[in-house]
Amino acid sequence: MNTKAVLIRWSLVLIVTMVGAFLARDVDLREDALDLLPSGAVEQDFTLLARLGLVNRIFISIDKAAMGEKQKQKLPDKELLSSAESVGKAFSASPFFKQVFYRLPEETNRFLYDQLWHHLPAFLGPADLREIEGLLAGDGLNKALIDNFVLLNSVPGIALKEQIRRDPLGFFNLVMKRLENLRGEIAVEVRDGYFLSKNGNSCLLWAESTVSLTDSQTAEKVQQEIDRILDENLTPGIEARIIGSLPHTLANARTVRSDLQRLLPLALAGLVILFLVAFRDLRALLVVMVPFLAAPAALGVVMLFHDTVSAIALGFGIVLLGISVDFAIHLFMGLSRGEDSRDNLLRKLQRPILLATASTLSVFMVLLFSQVPSHRQMALLAIAGISLASAFAWFLIPTLVKNKNRSNNSAHILLSRLSFSSPLRNFVAIPLWLLLVVSGLFAWPQLRYNGDLKTFDVSDPRIASQEKKFYESWGRKGEQSFIFSTGKSLSEALEKNDYINEALQARISGYQTIAFLLPSPVTQLRNIANWKAFWKMRHTSFMHDFQNGAIELGFSSIAFKPFFDWLAFEPEPISPENFVNSPLAPIFATLLRVPEHDVTGEPTKDEDLYLVATVVPESQVSEEILSAIEEKIPGVKVLSNASWRERVENLLRKDIIRLSGAAALLVFCMIICFFRSGRVVLAVLAPVLSALSAMAVFDLLTTRDLNLMHVLMGIMVIGLSVDYGIFMVCAMQEGISKTTVLAVSTCAASTLVGFGVLAFAVHPVLQSLGVTVLAGIGAAWPTALLVTPVLLGNPERAGE
């Protein structure tokens, strides 16, 4: 090939690469773990959880440092509270956080006892009226008056004089008790507006991040901001513990980064050594780089269809693109070591490379139909990249072969003898292969698919210790279910929430709801009507009995005039919007979300409705009740933590099993169409059977579990394994088997080195990738060399 032709070929490839780099210049990468979730209904469910703030919420426990109880008692409480105050204010001022809640607003009590008191009848339901009726019956009224008299003649009673005059029977306590319905299972006590643990050694703060905490890039920024705030605002002797999704996101991202920084240099060094030894030519390093010139162009293709690209998909896609290195290796070794003319060698290599490319692309084409967005992006990137890389290799590798290198190293000679002349094939390899396949057939039914997404979460002892200490102070929450009520108006959403509360009230306890503190206007009007009817029958007798009892105890005749005036006052409902904008708004923030509006007052998004949530502890009883509620009340959505995870896991399992089955079937049909002989098909697929059997046996002997990464990488292993079979069969039929043996061995060894090091990773996802490839390719490689030639038999007869 003359110099001009070489320059033209390289120029054309570089132009395509540069165009691709231009298209991908503004690529927006997302490092979000949520890209591994199925789209559709599951994605919508997750949006509800995210909108309620559950995904990006951070809990911070500000504690007296780890010391003895006596030392903790010596540390003044004011140090703890001042730290909580400073940290809370710093969080509120930070652009990284919203809905910061560390203390009840100072005006909370004034709002409760001044404004809310006038609307109290609107909040009292039938159960409250029954309790009031019990208080008025028998000696209840006299006991209440006696208790008030004793309290007023004590030191604490002096400050409570006006409150007792206005509410001598404690009607307001009926509403105040309902604040506990918003506390849930957190063992918190309110002191001076702060949220303290029962032992008083910890103060609770929680906030919602304004950026995604499942994205490792933004999570790092949030953590840096938290570290800065804590360093600047915690006094000596005070420490902070953080729980939520943030520590887990960072632990996973940092572990992956650490694994790659530690293992990739080893893999790179191993690959360089392998290629130099196998090729004995410095051009080998350029050969293996040729397919990666397709990466920018492949990314440019993806950018034509997607605004953002998942970093997970990009990472896996580039790795999968490395499969096409096998084609470059076969071309270079065939042209540089083959005993024939260049044109004849290219003709003989054309068929296996086209077949291998087609089979590999078919494997990834099925991923285009995955329900997981990152899988679809990964598939598109791999398809575009492998197609271009194969073309680039075919276009450029011939320009790198200058002279024939007919020297056969010892490895080449040994591999050739093992494959074609050693009795090892018949007496050892075939029986071992059959034993492996039978073992695989036995192992596969014994395995179970473990779709638990927690298996992909790195085990971090420090996070586990922090969470344990947090739960010791604040109590541990069990699994929870969320009942979402939506509406175009706040009143509509609250009315549905009232129906939910009525359905739960008599059958479930310990749930969190705002229905008691913020009923809908319809419910408020009904409560007021019931209040009027209640007092219409009792007002005269009550006034007589109460006034006489008070005078007998020594109270003046006008002592309780504020209370009597309040009873005579016409009760009114309170506007939900005014209530939401009151000092109690932070309390509702965890259960109520109001849509953002533009300057005209219209919602910024059509689907952005008012959202009210009720949180119910999960149990078998609650599951049945909640299912009935969802069916009966339109616009109500029930979402359970456990059932949602189970649903995600089931969707992923069905998706990956469907796709892997389709990939295997497509490859099988393609091989049959190409070779049209049962014996040849078996020879081609022998490495695939070995790979699948080895992976099954390995999993059976270790975890007995198959997870998403096992199956996903299993699809890749199928693509690689069938390529080995294709190249060996075609090589024997075309008479270029000796160079193909070394090429297949080099390809398999490079895959084992490149991926195999991941078996030593700490992160479970990377480790799953490594062990899957080690087991699968580790079995497929010797099968292609030792078993495929035996199964093929006479290549001329087999090809008929």
Side-chain angles (χ1 to χ4, degrees):
M1 188 177 294
N2 58 48
T3 304
K4 182 179 180 180
V6 172
L7 290 176
I8 291 175
R9 291 192 177 201
W10 278 92
S11 297
L12 290 175
V13 169
L14 291 176
I15 288 173
V16 173
T17 301
M18 287 188 291
V19 170
F22 176 78
L23 293 174
R25 69 191 185 282
D26 296 325
V27 59
D28 183 11
L29 285 182
R30 282 169 42 95
E31 292 186 13
D32 201 325
L34 301 182
D35 289 332
L36 290 173
L37 292 180
S39 55
V42 169
E43 192 175 29
Q44 295 172 5
D45 292 345
F46 191 86
T47 301
L48 281 175
L49 294 173
R51 190 177 168 212
L52 197 61
L54 297 173
V55 178
N56 295 323
R57 187 166 297 157
I58 301 170
F59 288 90
I60 300 180
S61 179
I62 300 175
D63 311 322
K64 295 180 180 179
M67 56 180 69
E69 287 299 324
K70 292 184 179 180
Q71 292 175 303
K72 288 182 180 180
Q73 292 175 4
K74 290 180 181 180
L75 187 66
D77 288 345
K78 66 178 182 180
E79 299 293 339
L80 177 65
L81 299 183
S82 64
S83 291
E85 180 80 16
S86 298
V87 171
K89 288 182 178 178
F91 266 78
S92 300
S94 172
F96 284 93
F97 303 102
K98 61 182 179 180
Q99 303 292 348
V100 180
F101 199 23
Y102 65 96
R103 188 183 184 184
L104 288 174
E106 293 181 359
E107 61 271 22
T108 299
N109 286 338
R110 185 170 60 254
F111 172 81
L112 289 173
Y113 290 106
D114 291 346
Q115 298 185 43
L116 195 58
W117 172 254
H118 296 292
H119 303 280
L120 188 63
F123 297 92
L124 301 179
D128 299 306
L129 295 181
R130 287 193 295 270
E131 189 170 344
I132 292 175
E133 186 177 16
L135 178 65
L136 302 182
D139 296 332
L141 189 60
N142 287 331
K143 183 178 183 303
L145 288 170
I146 293 172
D147 290 342
N148 286 329
F149 184 82
V150 173
L151 182 60
L152 284 172
N153 286 280
S154 64
V155 175
I158 297 175
L160 299 175
K161 178 181 178 181
E162 291 303 318
Q163 180 180 334
I164 293 174
R165 292 187 66 206
R166 185 172 56 179
D167 185 20
L169 300 181
F171 289 170
F172 199 73
N173 290 336
L174 297 174
V175 175
M176 292 301 293
K177 288 179 182 178
R178 294 168 183 177
L179 287 172
E180 296 182 2
N181 288 96
L182 300 177
R183 187 177 66 181
E185 298 178 29
I186 297 179
V188 63
E189 294 183 1
V190 180
R191 302 179 198 171
D192 297 327
Y194 295 96
F195 304 96
L196 296 174
S197 58
K198 289 184 177 181
N199 59 15
N201 292 328
S202 303
C203 193
L204 187 63
L205 176 152
W206 62 92
E208 185 180 341
S209 171
T210 56
V211 297
S212 174
L213 295 184
T214 56
D215 187 315
S216 60
Q217 291 182 329
T218 54
E220 285 285 2
K221 296 178 181 178
V222 171
Q223 184 63 56
Q224 292 173 4
E225 179 72 357
I226 292 176
D227 291 339
R228 180 191 68 79
I229 291 175
L230 296 180
D231 288 342
E232 294 177 358
N233 294 279
L234 288 181
T235 58
I238 304 297
E239 61 184 12
R241 295 188 179 88
I242 304 171
I243 69 165
S245 59
L246 176 62
H248 292 275
T249 297
L250 293 178
N252 282 293
R254 290 169 180 174
T255 302
V256 169
R257 196 177 302 124
S258 174
D259 282 338
L260 295 180
Q261 290 173 350
R262 177 171 53 91
L263 297 175
L264 285 185
L266 295 177
L268 182 60
L271 289 173
V272 170
I273 295 172
L274 171 65
F275 290 137
L276 289 178
V277 170
F279 287 91
R280 295 197 172 187
D281 191 330
L282 288 176
R283 285 172 296 173
L285 301 181
L286 187 57
V287 169
V288 297
M289 290 303 297
V290 166
F292 288 99
L293 292 174
L299 184 56
V301 171
V302 175
M303 291 297 295
L304 294 176
F305 297 91
H306 300 279
D307 296 329
T308 62
V309 178
S310 165
I312 299 171
L314 179 61
F316 274 96
I318 297 299
V319 168
L320 297 174
L321 180 57
I323 295 174
S324 56
V325 170
D326 292 2
F327 309 147
I329 291 174
H330 279 279
L331 272 170
F332 187 81
M333 282 196 168
L335 292 175
S336 63
R337 296 172 183 268
E339 299 176 353
D340 206 340
S341 66
R342 176 189 293 262
D343 291 340
N344 284 337
L345 288 170
L346 286 174
R347 180 185 58 78
K348 292 177 179 179
L349 287 167
Q350 183 179 22
R351 182 167 174 254
I353 288 179
L354 287 177
L355 295 183
T357 302
S359 63
T360 302
L361 291 178
S362 66
V363 167
F364 293 110
M365 284 181 64
V366 299
L367 282 179
L368 290 174
F369 302 95
S370 172
Q371 296 187 55
V372 181
S374 63
H375 291 178
R376 296 195 294 269
Q377 287 189 356
M378 183 195 312
L380 181 59
L381 185 61
I383 291 170
I386 291 173
S387 300
L388 289 170
S390 179
F392 287 1
W394 191 261
F395 210 51
L396 297 180
I397 296 302
T399 69
L400 298 175
V401 180
K402 301 295 184 182
N403 300 308
K404 292 280 186 176
N405 179 11
R406 298 185 183 280
S407 62
N408 290 324
N409 56 40
S410 57
H412 190 171
I413 296 171
L414 176 61
L415 289 170
S416 296
R417 287 179 177 175
L418 287 175
S419 298
F420 302 107
S421 60
S422 174
L424 178 67
R425 298 181 308 165
N426 299 321
F427 300 106
V428 178
I430 294 298
L432 288 178
W433 178 71
L434 291 174
L435 177 62
L436 177 61
V437 173
V438 171
S439 299
L441 291 174
F442 169 78
W444 275 111
Q446 312 299 319
L447 302 179
R448 63 180 183 274
Y449 181 83
N450 184 0
D452 189 354
L453 298 178
K454 292 181 180 178
T455 58
F456 299 148
D457 202 10
V458 68
S459 178
D460 190 323
R462 184 175 178 275
I463 294 178
S465 175
Q466 293 281 63
E467 291 180 344
K468 179 181 178 182
K469 292 178 181 178
F470 183 93
Y471 294 135
E472 287 175 353
S473 297
W474 304 103
R476 177 181 292 273
K477 282 189 175 182
E479 294 287 0
Q480 296 176 316
S481 295
F482 299 89
I483 313 175
F484 295 101
S485 305
T486 57
K488 295 181 179 179
S489 67
L490 181 56
S491 296
E492 180 184 349
L494 289 174
E495 188 171 354
K496 295 175 183 177
N497 194 55
D498 288 342
Y499 293 146
I500 294 170
N501 182 52
E502 291 174 6
L504 295 177
Q505 198 168 0
R507 305 178 66 182
I508 296 178
S509 61
Y511 62 93
Q512 292 175 262
T513 180
I514 63 173
F516 292 125
L517 277 176
L518 184 54
S520 67
V522 172
T523 301
Q524 290 188 50
L525 290 174
R526 184 168 61 247
N527 289 340
I528 290 174
N530 292 336
W531 172 268
K532 291 179 178 179
F534 178 88
W535 285 107
K536 183 177 181 179
M537 296 184 297
R538 297 171 177 81
H539 186 269
T540 302
S541 59
F542 167 77
M543 293 290 293
H544 178 269
D545 295 341
F546 186 93
Q547 188 74 331
N548 288 340
I551 292 174
E552 289 179 3
L553 286 173
F555 289 104
S556 69
S557 59
I558 60 171
F560 296 103
K561 186 177 184 301
F563 176 59
F564 298 146
D565 292 342
W566 176 77
L567 279 180
F569 184 78
E570 181 70 19
E572 297 178 354
I574 187 172
S575 167
E577 286 75 15
N578 291 340
F579 202 84
V580 168
N581 295 323
S582 73
L584 293 179
I587 299 178
F588 298 137
T590 57
L591 297 175
L592 170 66
R593 288 301 161 103
V594 175
E596 297 181 1
H597 293 79
D598 58 24
V599 292
T600 65
E602 294 296 323
T604 55
K605 298 179 182 178
D606 292 338
E607 70 275 11
D608 205 4
L609 304 174
Y610 288 87
L611 182 68
V612 181
T614 297
V615 184
V616 181
E618 284 191 9
S619 65
Q620 186 173 358
V621 174
S622 66
E623 186 176 346
E624 297 173 357
I625 297 173
L626 300 189
S627 297
I629 289 176
E630 188 174 24
E631 293 177 2
K632 290 181 179 179
I633 308 176
V636 169
K637 173 73 174 178
V638 176
L639 191 55
S640 158
N641 274 348
S643 62
W644 183 80
R645 282 200 308 270
E646 183 180 357
R647 186 180 180 191
V648 171
E649 292 159 5
N650 287 336
L651 284 174
L652 288 175
R653 182 182 69 250
K654 292 178 181 178
D655 189 50
I656 206 67
I657 291 176
R658 174 175 58 88
L659 295 177
S660 58
L665 181 61
L666 189 57
V667 168
F668 181 71
C669 293
M670 189 175 296
I671 297 302
I672 290 179
C673 293
F674 282 149
F675 294 102
R676 300 182 182 181
S677 168
R679 185 170 186 174
V680 180
V681 169
L682 179 60
V684 171
L685 295 180
V688 178
L689 296 175
S690 293
L692 294 175
S693 298
M695 290 187 291
V697 171
F698 181 83
D699 285 334
L700 181 65
L701 296 176
T702 53
T703 62
R704 289 181 173 264
D705 283 348
L706 285 175
N707 60 39
L708 176 64
M709 290 299 111
H710 287 141
V711 182
L712 191 61
M713 289 308 293
I715 293 177
M716 189 201 80
V717 169
I718 291 174
L720 286 173
S721 302
V722 76
D723 288 353
Y724 300 159
I726 290 172
F727 277 111
M728 286 300 297
V729 168
C730 290
M732 293 182 68
Q733 292 177 340
E734 298 289 347
I736 54 172
S737 54
K738 291 185 178 180
T739 56
T740 300
V741 167
L742 183 57
V744 167
S745 298
T746 303
C747 294
S750 65
T751 301
L752 290 176
V753 171
F755 283 96
V757 295
L758 296 180
F760 302 97
V762 175
H763 199 281
V765 170
L766 296 181
Q767 191 180 57
S768 295
L769 300 182
V771 297
T772 302
V773 172
L774 277 180
I777 300 300
W781 173 18
T783 301
L785 266 58
L786 303 176
V787 178
T788 293
V790 177
L791 296 177
L792 185 63
N794 187 334
E796 294 182 0
R797 288 178 59 85
E800 293 179 355

